[in-house]
Amino acid sequence: MEIRNFCIIAHIDHGKSTLADRILERTGAITEREMHAQFLDDMELERERGITIKASAVTVFHVLNSRRYMLNLIDTPGHVDFHYEVAKALQACEGALLVVDATQGVQAQTVANAYAAIEAGLDMIPVINKIDLPSARPDEVAEEMEQVLGIDALSCIRISAKSGLGMDELFQAICLKLPGPRGDPLQPLQALIFDSKYDDYRGVIVYVRLINGKLAIGRKIRMMGRQRVYQITDLGKFMPKPAHVDSLGAGEVGFLVANIKTLGDVTIGDTVTDAGAPATLALPGYRLPKQMVYCDFYPGPGAEYTHLREALEKLRLNDSSFTFEPETSDALGFGFRCGFLGLLHMEIVQERLEREQHVQVVQTAPTVPYEVVLNDGAVKTIDSASALPDLSKVREIREPMIRASIIVPAENIGDISKLCQDRRGIYRKTEYLGPQRVIIEYDMPLAEVIFDFFDRLKTATRGYGTLDYNFLGFRADDLARMDILVNGQTVDALSLIVHRAKAESRGRAIVKKLKKEIGKHLFEVPLQAAIGSRVIARETISAMRKNVTAKCYGGDVSRKRKLLEKQKEGKKRMKQVGRVEIPQEAFMAVLEPGE
């Protein structure tokens, strides 16, 4: 039996999960009765949003020209935040199906994923999907792929994953064009861990791709990175339901169970080898995911700190790409500082906490990590403005920079250039994909992109613009910490690091927004934005005023004045001891960069 290991890569919504459904259906892995859309997306949130969040591995069998093929398929996410999942999948395969929508053509993530597959040394099969739609333009899209990615336009396979059109030709290409694995079953065992998940009854289930050697039940294995030894209690494959097997050979993809208690004991990218006759070298593995967005989670109404901690620990069992550590705030009490791969990842984690763990959270505005160079030359990485050392000890502050690749209709070049320059972008190049579409590259600070850049891009291009970005490194700039004071008290959860040139407009926009979000109190509440001791913006929330003179039906005016003076004294006293209630929306107001 011949083996083919491949993954499906594409931009968001170009039809990866639908194509995986058709492959499962055509190979008889699932019956028509069991079939439902996005079969491999088993998370409720994935189905609801129509996106893939976690890569899914499945084994199916296909017969072509009386030869039997084992097809190990990995369906991957398309969103830039989950590019880490794509990188893991590429390492476990020899081939990739690069899927492009026949109506939308080459998009930002198409280019990023194609280059990632080329770097990983994979053989690619270009697939043009959705050719049965009235607005499909497969010939133009094939030319775009040739121009941008250097893929021969004639080699593109045209299919409709929804109706099954062209699937026979695709199966033929997978079996005949993709190479088989080059592993040797007689060599010492080397298996790459490309994913893992936690099961309440069996402990950690480890997804492995065997490069060399063989795995069997009862065998003792060693994790080469952590140097821990375990005994295999179960082996299997996802077909797509878990199916028990006695052994796995070189080139195969499957899972192993070995009484591993926590996900922390398993490192993605680690090498599994035989404890008795280990391999001399570990496999190259992966770079660990780098958290690029940070925010604080505090217990919301009806939630407790211990409940939030337990919920985060449970969630981390199935998503090791986010981090959390304890944090305290004068305004919000005890909570956690969490790190995410991007804004969508942050949204998904918050939603999973509320849905799966039933914990309400108050979330602060997201920030990005910064590098601070101290006067003695030491470099410190901080992930919030409150962690910034005293500025007298700081030589410079560096912010994270990205290379943004933006694909837009040619008529929107001016709008997008203005948008990028307003966000302190540095122009790099423009490349035409065809007469109607261009790819523009800018180097930009990540802090300017994570807020509402994507929304502005979609608005400016009427939904046709797409964005992909790569992290370049840290660059020094004229940055400062801006504090937000509510009733004279600094609310550390609202502090942020801003560029001095934009500090005044940003501060004014934030205090105006806060004035709308924070309700009236029985005393006057001043809102201020300050850099150091210099106040750069101020708004005042006027006091709620009870009509204390309502009961006076005439008489001397001094009577009314006496009651008003008494009220004034009471408000002054209340202001000294009063506590301002700050709603969740106020923290999110910091997201609005303002005009």
Side-chain angles (χ1 to χ4, degrees), residues 202-365:
R202 307 165 80 191
V204 180
I205 297 173
V206 183
Y207 293 51
V208 289
R209 154 73 205 275
L210 271 77
I211 308 297
N212 293 312
K214 195 176 173 184
L215 272 176
I217 291 174
R219 197 166 176 185
K220 284 196 172 178
I221 53 164
R222 182 188 296 277
M223 307 283 187
M224 291 184 82
R226 294 187 170 261
Q227 289 297 317
R228 292 193 178 168
V229 175
Y230 301 97
Q231 187 165 10
I232 296 174
T233 56
D234 192 16
L235 285 174
K237 290 174 173 289
F238 291 101
M239 294 182 163
K241 290 177 181 165
H244 170 83
V245 296
D246 293 324
S247 64
L248 290 171
E252 290 189 52
V253 173
F255 66 84
L256 67 87
V257 178
N259 291 329
I260 303 170
K261 298 290 186 290
T262 65
L263 269 185
D265 293 337
V266 176
T267 307
I268 306 295
D270 201 353
T271 305
V272 175
T273 191
D274 193 295
T280 48
L281 291 173
L283 297 164
Y286 315 107
R287 280 181 304 185
L288 285 170
K290 190 172 177 62
Q291 281 73 35
M292 295 311 295
V293 171
Y294 290 85
C295 83
D296 295 347
F297 282 174
Y298 292 94
E304 289 181 17
Y305 175 77
T306 50
H307 293 162
L308 179 58
R309 188 184 62 224
E310 285 165 15
L312 285 167
E313 283 168 356
K314 277 184 188 170
L315 200 57
R316 183 144 166 76
L317 288 175
N318 285 321
D319 183 0
S320 56
S321 56
F322 86 93
T323 58
F324 65 92
E325 55 187 41
E327 178 75 52
T328 54
S329 157
D330 295 338
L332 295 163
F334 292 98
F336 292 94
R337 184 85 181 148
C338 303
F340 308 93
L341 304 179
L343 276 189
L344 178 67
H345 187 211
M346 180 186 82
E347 251 180 75
I348 297 290
V349 169
Q350 183 182 359
E351 210 161 323
R352 286 185 69 188
L353 279 174
E354 291 180 356
R355 279 184 184 207
E356 296 171 19
Q357 310 297 334
H358 309 294
V359 174
Q360 292 293 317
V361 295
V362 171
Q363 171 201 327
T364 62

Side-chain angles (χ1 to χ4, degrees), residues 350-536:
Q350 183 182 359
E351 210 161 323
R352 286 185 69 188
L353 279 174
E354 291 180 356
R355 279 184 184 207
E356 296 171 19
Q357 310 297 334
H358 309 294
V359 174
Q360 292 293 317
V361 295
V362 171
Q363 171 201 327
T364 62
T367 59
V368 296
Y370 291 88
E371 276 187 358
V372 178
V373 183
L374 303 175
N375 291 333
D376 59 2
V379 179
K380 183 182 174 186
T381 303
I382 61 164
D383 52 41
S384 71
S386 55
L388 189 66
D390 179 11
L391 287 177
S392 63
K393 298 175 184 171
V394 174
R395 189 192 301 168
E396 64 181 21
I397 304 171
R398 299 172 183 164
E399 62 184 341
M401 297 294 292
I402 57 158
R403 167 90 27 103
S405 302
I406 307 162
I407 295 181
V408 294
E411 65 199 52
N412 297 121
I413 292 176
D415 299 331
I416 298 309
S417 297
K418 185 178 183 309
L419 176 64
C420 292
Q421 280 157 15
D422 287 348
R423 302 299 170 98
R424 299 190 284 128
I426 302 161
Y427 173 75
R428 287 294 169 225
K429 65 175 182 180
T430 301
E431 200 178 307
Y432 275 79
L433 303 179
Q436 301 299 323
R437 293 166 75 234
V438 294
I439 182 165
I440 307 171
E441 283 191 4
Y442 270 88
D443 289 353
M444 299 167 73
L446 179 63
E448 299 283 353
V449 175
I450 67 162
F451 295 120
D452 64 345
F453 182 83
F454 192 65
D455 294 342
R456 296 280 175 97
L457 168 68
K458 287 289 183 191
T459 305
T461 59
R462 300 190 308 283
Y464 288 107
T466 59
L467 165 76
D468 177 58
Y469 59 81
N470 293 313
F471 176 62
L472 293 177
F474 289 88
R475 187 193 70 182
D477 213 326
D478 188 14
L479 303 165
R481 169 178 164 160
M482 181 165 75
D483 290 318
I484 304 295
L485 288 80
V486 176
N487 199 25
Q489 298 291 313
T490 301
V491 181
D492 46 9
L494 289 173
S495 298
L496 64 161
I497 294 173
V498 293
H499 194 271
R500 282 184 196 271
K502 288 189 160 194
E504 202 170 312
S505 59
R506 186 81 190 269
R508 201 174 293 123
I510 288 171
V511 292
K512 270 186 184 169
K513 195 92 180 357
L514 283 174
K515 185 180 178 181
K516 289 180 192 169
E517 301 296 349
I518 297 175
K520 284 192 172 189
H521 288 62
L522 292 169
F523 49 90
E524 193 179 81
V525 179
L527 305 171
Q528 296 163 304
I531 290 179
S533 57
R534 188 167 72 92
V535 174
I536 55 173

Side-chain angles (χ1 to χ4, degrees), residues 132-183:
D132 55 343
L133 291 179
S135 55
R137 43 187 188 87
D139 295 336
E140 285 177 47
V141 171
E143 281 175 31
E144 269 183 26
M145 289 174 83
E146 186 167 307
Q147 192 173 337
V148 181
L149 305 170
I151 292 168
D152 181 8
L154 298 172
S155 69
C156 295
I157 294 169
R158 302 176 184 201
I159 67 159
S160 165
K162 198 164 192 178
S163 67
L165 187 69
M167 287 301 291
D168 293 335
E169 194 186 339
L170 180 62
F171 274 117
Q172 199 168 342
I174 291 167
C175 296
L176 303 179
K177 288 186 181 176
L178 293 184
R182 293 178 285 274

